[in-house]
Amino acid sequence: MQTTLPARLYGDPDAWARERKGMFERAWLFIGHEAEATEPGDWIATDVAGMRLVVVRGPDGTLRAFHNVCRHRAGPLVTGSRGKCDGDLVCAYHGWRYALDGRLRAATGFGAVDGFDPRDFGLFGLKLEIWRGLVFVNADTGAGPLAAHVAPLEALLAERGLAFAAPALRRTHELACDWKVYAENYLEGYHIGAVNPVLADELGGAEYRVRVDGDLVIQEAIGVNDGPQAGVWGWLWPNLGINVYRDSAMIERVTPTGPGRTRLDYLFLHADGEAGLGEALSASDRLTAEDAVICEAVQCNLSAGIYDRGVLSPRHEAAVGWFQARLEKVHS
């Protein structure tokens, strides 16, 4: 019998700090699609688990990733989620200028200082790799290759002849629950009948299977390969849902923003752009709203002080157990 993680880990500031250092700063994190930054100076920015990150296209055509932090007094280099800079990244605080390869080009107005060498004050870089157009970064520059991380998903997509279309739309949703609550909800179909009635009708009583392969959780509804739910539903450790269908895809990043707070960042991909999403967009909004209600209720109960540990179903919650076992190592 596998018991759940203790309730205190959901929303606790110390747990949040351990997960930031012990997991997110060592993980491959999805940023966006390379087609969102095609020209020199184009950038994409986000924050994940407190890390403020920016990816920028250099004049040589290369995408590079940096912490969105000036080396002077920690001002931001960019604000917003997408944009274009004119030749340099410029700190919004004191105007220090950085080349798009991270070198400090000008400590604007700083003055002469003994011992100050601009070569020692380049931007904090991150490892960046691209898979099927999707851009991932890793704060651990010694991390293993992205290809090994995504290998099970790559094999599954290749086997089924599925590909990613072009970016069509971004959406975000804020949730009043710990990121782990939402992630665990994502990793099992046990709740669908009670929480997602329209989806349950679409599945039509099909057998719902969940299996783990390396860093990937694969969810399948057996017998609906030609229906509205046909495709691949995957969860890539630690915080990324990748749902791929014949003509579209949805990338869902579960973004922890603090203890007990979560932001869902969606990137929809479709060859026909936003207009081609149709019912897929309304279905996504419906499912998100349904899951948000139950996840926020669970968070309230985890914080109420009466519940400590529960028990996991080996039939339905094996992937939740896998997820919690990995988290337990972070907190041990």
Side-chain angles (χ1 to χ4, degrees), residues 126-189:
L126 301 109
K127 192 170 184 177
L128 182 150
E129 294 190 23
I130 299 171
W131 169 69
R132 289 185 174 236
L134 304 183
V135 179
F136 289 78
V137 303
N138 200 314
D140 179 2
T141 56
L146 176 65
H149 182 56
V150 301
L153 183 56
E154 171 60 35
L156 195 58
L157 295 178
E159 172 190 317
R160 301 187 182 184
L162 296 173
F164 293 123
L169 179 69
R170 279 187 176 269
R171 294 284 274 274
T172 64
H173 304 272
E174 301 284 344
L175 276 65
C177 67
D178 194 90
W179 78 278
K180 298 185 290 298
V181 172
Y182 186 86
E184 290 165 7
N185 178 79
Y186 195 106
L187 291 171
E188 48 92 352

Side-chain angles (χ1 to χ4, degrees), residues 34-43 56-59 61 63 83-84 100:
E34 62 179 343
E36 296 179 286
T38 57
E39 300 296 325
D42 288 351
W43 55 263
V56 62
R57 179 82 65 179
L63 280 175
K84 187 178 185 67
L100 302 187

Side-chain angles (χ1 to χ4, degrees), residues 24 27-36 44-49 51 53-55 65 126-139 146 149-150 153 164-165 167 169-171 236-242 249-256 263-269:
F24 285 101
W28 283 108
L29 303 174
F30 171 71
I31 299 297
H33 195 285
E34 62 179 343
E36 296 179 286
I44 311 167
T46 192
D47 63 278
V48 181
M51 292 183 289
L53 312 172
V54 60
V55 170
L126 301 109
K127 192 170 184 177
L128 182 150
E129 294 190 23
I130 299 171
W131 169 69
R132 289 185 174 236
L134 304 183
V135 179
F136 289 78
V137 303
N138 200 314
L146 176 65
H149 182 56
V150 301
L153 183 56
F164 293 123
L169 179 69
R170 279 187 176 269
R171 294 284 274 274
L236 194 62
W237 174 266
N239 67 328
L240 193 67
I242 302 180
M250 183 188 72
I251 314 298
E252 180 179 4
R253 185 179 63 209
V254 181
T255 306
R263 187 183 72 241
L264 305 181
D265 295 322
Y266 289 90
L267 176 62
F268 295 89
L269 304 107

Side-chain angles (χ1 to χ4, degrees), residues 106-131:
T108 306
F110 189 63
V113 177
D114 288 342
F116 175 71
D117 187 341
R119 292 172 296 183
D120 296 332
F121 287 86
L123 294 176
F124 298 111
L126 301 109
K127 192 170 184 177
L128 182 150
E129 294 190 23
I130 299 171
W131 169 69

Side-chain angles (χ1 to χ4, degrees), residues 36-300:
E36 296 179 286
T38 57
E39 300 296 325
D42 288 351
W43 55 263
I44 311 167
T46 192
D47 63 278
V48 181
M51 292 183 289
R52 304 185 69 209
L53 312 172
V54 60
V55 170
V56 62
R57 179 82 65 179
D60 59 355
T62 300
L63 280 175
R64 296 179 177 87
F66 306 99
H67 289 273
N68 185 15
V69 179
C70 178
R71 292 293 304 277
H72 173 218
R73 284 175 52 201
L77 305 168
V78 301
T79 56
S81 59
R82 288 181 64 186
K84 187 178 185 67
C85 59
D86 185 17
D88 293 329
L89 291 168
V90 182
C91 176
Y93 197 6
H94 297 99
W96 281 30
R97 305 181 70 89
Y98 296 87
L100 302 187
D101 61 5
R103 291 175 295 114
L104 176 60
R105 178 167 283 172
T108 306
F110 189 63
V113 177
D114 288 342
F116 175 71
D117 187 341
R119 292 172 296 183
D120 296 332
F121 287 86
L123 294 176
F124 298 111
L126 301 109
K127 192 170 184 177
L128 182 150
E129 294 190 23
I130 299 171
W131 169 69
R132 289 185 174 236
L134 304 183
V135 179
F136 289 78
V137 303
N138 200 314
D140 179 2
T141 56
L146 176 65
H149 182 56
V150 301
L153 183 56
E154 171 60 35
L156 195 58
L157 295 178
E159 172 190 317
R160 301 187 182 184
L162 296 173
F164 293 123
L169 179 69
R170 279 187 176 269
R171 294 284 274 274
T172 64
H173 304 272
E174 301 284 344
L175 276 65
C177 67
D178 194 90
W179 78 278
K180 298 185 290 298
V181 172
Y182 186 86
E184 290 165 7
N185 178 79
Y186 195 106
L187 291 171
E188 48 92 352
Y190 196 12
H191 68 275
I192 290 175
V195 176
N196 310 119
V198 176
L199 176 58
D201 286 345
E202 290 175 347
L203 296 177
E207 181 185 358
Y208 197 93
R209 293 182 186 172
V210 180
R211 58 189 174 93
V212 178
D213 185 355
D215 288 327
L216 178 70
V217 173
I218 304 159
Q219 304 187 46
E220 298 175 295
I222 307 304
V224 294
N225 289 333
D226 296 320
Q229 298 301 326
V232 170
W233 312 336
W235 172 271
L236 194 62
W237 174 266
N239 67 328
L240 193 67
I242 302 180
N243 304 312
V244 189
Y245 306 100
R246 289 294 170 189
D247 61 351
S248 63
M250 183 188 72
I251 314 298
E252 180 179 4
R253 185 179 63 209
V254 181
T255 306
T257 57
R261 304 294 303 183
T262 298
R263 187 183 72 241
L264 305 181
D265 295 322
Y266 289 90
L267 176 62
F268 295 89
L269 304 107
H270 199 288
D272 297 326
E274 182 178 350
L277 295 173
E279 293 184 3
L281 190 57
S282 58
S284 173
D285 286 345
R286 183 189 66 248
L287 286 168
T288 298
E290 291 168 348
D291 288 340
V293 168
I294 194 64
C295 287
E296 290 179 347
V298 167
Q299 181 65 51
C300 287

